[in-house]
Amino acid sequence: MDRRAFLGLLTGATAGLAGCIEGSVRPPIAGFAAPENPDPVVVHGFPGTVCGDPPNPFIGIEAVLEPAVGPNWDGLAVAEKYRFGYEVGPGLSADAYIVGVERQGSARAYPLSILWWHEVVNDTLGGDPVLVTYCPICQSGMVAERRVAGVEALFQVSGHLWQPPAIYGFASVEAGRTFGASASSGEAEVRNSGNLVLYDEATGSYWSQMLAKAICGSQSGEQLRILPSTVTTWGEWRAEHPETDALLPPPWSKTA
């Protein structure tokens, strides 16, 4: 099933619905070895076979690898898909919801309308490697330091979903590793459903977005270092951070 179709069917679906995007059988990807040594929590989740499946590049969700930024979107012919129904007029609407991050005196807004489509942004802010992620199905956001084993790394969308056991998801929210967000209403409750699985290019390990933790591969059990972030509107963020810039959507930002 197409992942966006899955999102559309989420309303009214069972709370336990989760799984891989296009079935359990995928063609192998040259040069990729499926992650091994799954974290013990994986066997309690669904699907328990995610560690044996290679990344699925055919779902069309491409991580942002080379972000472009600007003071706003003024003067840009932004594709309609990056504008939601209430966002009207030129530029980035003051009512558009964003994830705001500040590092070393630098501030940046990541519009949720971009995150809804691309889910993963690899960035550098204030000299720090930053990972900004969002899972539309779970309404979960997570911002972390973009490092694996202490080394700067790039993260991609694996094409898989994995539903953490509810207790782990709840604990992650309570600990502040994950926050709830909606592209249409701002702050929201996190849904415990099929959740975005990332992988890092350096080790091929799989990472649960909701847990901010590696669940398969050599990094299994390792936790990403969470960075502070805020869910607010572009207008409110800009008023509080006059020197901020904003992430630009593709084609200005380059994707996988």
Side-chain angles (χ1 to χ4, degrees), residues 18-124:
C20 301
I21 311 303
E22 295 180 332
S24 59
V25 179
R26 295 176 177 80
I29 297 177
F32 179 85
E36 298 176 351
N37 305 318
D39 186 280
V41 302
V42 174
V43 300
H44 300 297
F46 179 82
T49 59
V50 66
C51 291
D53 289 341
N56 178 7
F58 307 111
I59 60 169
I61 301 175
E62 299 180 334
V64 173
L65 301 183
E66 298 179 26
V69 299
N72 48 56
W73 290 5
D74 291 355
L76 302 181
V78 174
E80 285 299 317
K81 75 176 187 178
Y82 296 114
R83 295 186 183 280
F84 285 56
Y86 59 89
E87 296 175 10
V88 296
L92 183 60
S93 169
D95 294 328
Y97 288 103
I98 60 97
V99 175
V101 182
E102 186 174 10
R103 299 299 297 163
Q104 309 296 334
S106 297
R108 183 158 298 157
Y110 299 87
L112 275 159
S113 61
I114 299 178
L115 293 171
W116 198 93
W117 284 101
H118 296 281
E119 302 189 1
V120 175
V121 177
N122 295 271
D123 203 359
T124 301

Side-chain angles (χ1 to χ4, degrees), residues 222-246:
E222 293 297 318
Q223 200 85 50
L224 292 171
R225 178 172 176 259
I226 298 300
L227 300 179
S229 60
T230 302
V231 178
T232 186
T233 64
W234 168 237
E236 291 170 344
W237 177 258
R238 187 170 48 181
E240 294 177 4
H241 303 82
E243 302 301 317
T244 189
D245 55 25

